Amino acid sequence: MTTLVKMDEDTKSDLEELQAEIQMKTGREITQQEILARIVDRALRSKSDMIDSFRDEMEPVDADEREAFHDGMIASGIDVSESDIDDVLYR
């Protein structure tokens, strides 16, 4: 059974480039389907790495940066409730 996979032009181009390089270095004809199957197989063997690759990459803030951030905060003297914030954000 064949299923179509949609991808953007850049990804398609990258896949074609990878296919050509594999064929050139191995001397073996290989289909894009074989490449995708191998990629999926390797991703399944290292699921946590694959999942982590979709997480937002954030550098942890060190203690000095955190302290500098909090030192810069001031109290406005105005009581603000969560509903006040919601009203401003979600109008």
Side-chain angles (χ1 to χ4, degrees), residues 60-74:
V61 177
D62 68 31
D64 291 338
E65 290 173 316
R66 190 173 24 258
E67 186 176 330
F69 174 80
H70 288 291
D71 286 346
M73 295 176 66
I74 59 168

Side-chain angles (χ1 to χ4, degrees), residues 75-90:
S76 66
I78 300 171
D79 288 333
V80 179
S81 69
E82 287 182 24
S83 64
D84 293 332
I85 294 170
D86 288 346
D87 287 343
V88 170
L89 291 176
Y90 303 113

Side-chain angles (χ1 to χ4, degrees), residues 4 10 15 24 27 32 34 36 43 54 56 63 65 73 82:
L4 296 177
D10 289 339
L15 183 58
M24 185 176 61
Q32 292 177 1
E34 290 174 293
L36 292 172
F54 285 93
D56 290 336
E65 290 173 316
M73 295 176 66
E82 287 182 24

Side-chain angles (χ1 to χ4, degrees), residues 33-69:
Q33 183 176 346
E34 290 174 293
I35 295 170
L36 292 172
R38 180 84 45 105
I39 290 168
V40 169
D41 180 60
R42 289 190 177 190
L44 285 172
R45 284 191 266 142
S46 59
K47 284 181 189 175
S48 62
D49 289 341
M50 176 58 75
I51 293 166
D52 286 345
S53 75
F54 285 93
R55 296 187 195 284
D56 290 336
E57 301 213 6
M58 292 179 52
E59 292 291 322
V61 177
D62 68 31
D64 291 338
E65 290 173 316
R66 190 173 24 258
E67 186 176 330
F69 174 80

